[in-house]
Amino acid sequence: MALRIRLARGGTKKRPHYNIVISDSRSPRDGRFIEKIGFYNPLLPSDHADRIKLDLDKAKAWVAKGAVATDRVNKWLADAGITKKRVHNNPNKAQPRKKAQERAAAAAKAAEDAAAPA
């Protein structure tokens, strides 16, 4: 059984809050879970004490049992020193797409033609 530490959404429309749960990776996001280890309220300011509450001892125990955290939860666990921070590398993400490159080349050529003496 593949275990995940992930967020399960609760709350009403446009007023979300999330439970941090341990669940089977095959179960739905808001479905059955094994244990609740904390909660996250994104509506609170980022420096508010009740924005994220996480039982670090339980999280550490579940990571030792083989549970893998999602990206968002892994970021919080890495800040707490339980897991290593994941490094994502996508060198093409910042590159302009094909049409933008064509427009930039055309603009550079037009600027070069305008700067050249006639």
Side-chain angles (χ1 to χ4, degrees):
M1 177 163 75
L3 296 174
R4 299 289 284 183
I5 304 174
R6 65 181 176 196
L7 299 174
R9 191 180 194 277
T12 60
K13 181 175 163 183
K14 299 187 181 185
R15 304 283 300 168
H17 72 73
Y18 297 90
N19 291 319
I20 303 169
V21 297
I22 310 296
S23 66
D24 184 358
S25 64
R26 297 168 293 184
S27 66
R29 178 193 72 179
D30 301 333
R32 189 176 59 160
F33 60 89
I34 299 168
E35 185 176 10
K36 178 182 169 186
I37 62 171
F39 64 88
Y40 166 59
N41 187 352
L43 300 177
L44 294 176
S46 59
D47 58 347
H48 197 279
D50 289 334
R51 183 175 167 99
I52 301 170
K53 288 287 185 181
L54 183 60
D55 189 340
L56 297 177
D57 294 331
K58 287 183 181 180
K60 192 176 220 176
W62 281 106
V63 168
K65 293 177 188 175
V68 177
T70 58
D71 287 340
R72 174 59 55 184
V73 176
N74 188 66
K75 183 178 175 183
W76 297 327
L77 293 178
D79 290 344
I82 294 175
T83 62
K84 290 184 180 177
K85 196 166 196 166
R86 292 187 189 134
V87 177
H88 298 284
N89 184 17
N90 186 356
N92 296 325
K93 184 175 182 180
Q95 298 295 325
R97 299 285 190 231
K98 186 176 179 181
K99 290 220 175 202
Q101 288 177 351
E102 291 171 0
R103 283 192 298 271
K109 184 167 178 14
E112 182 181 300
D113 291 343

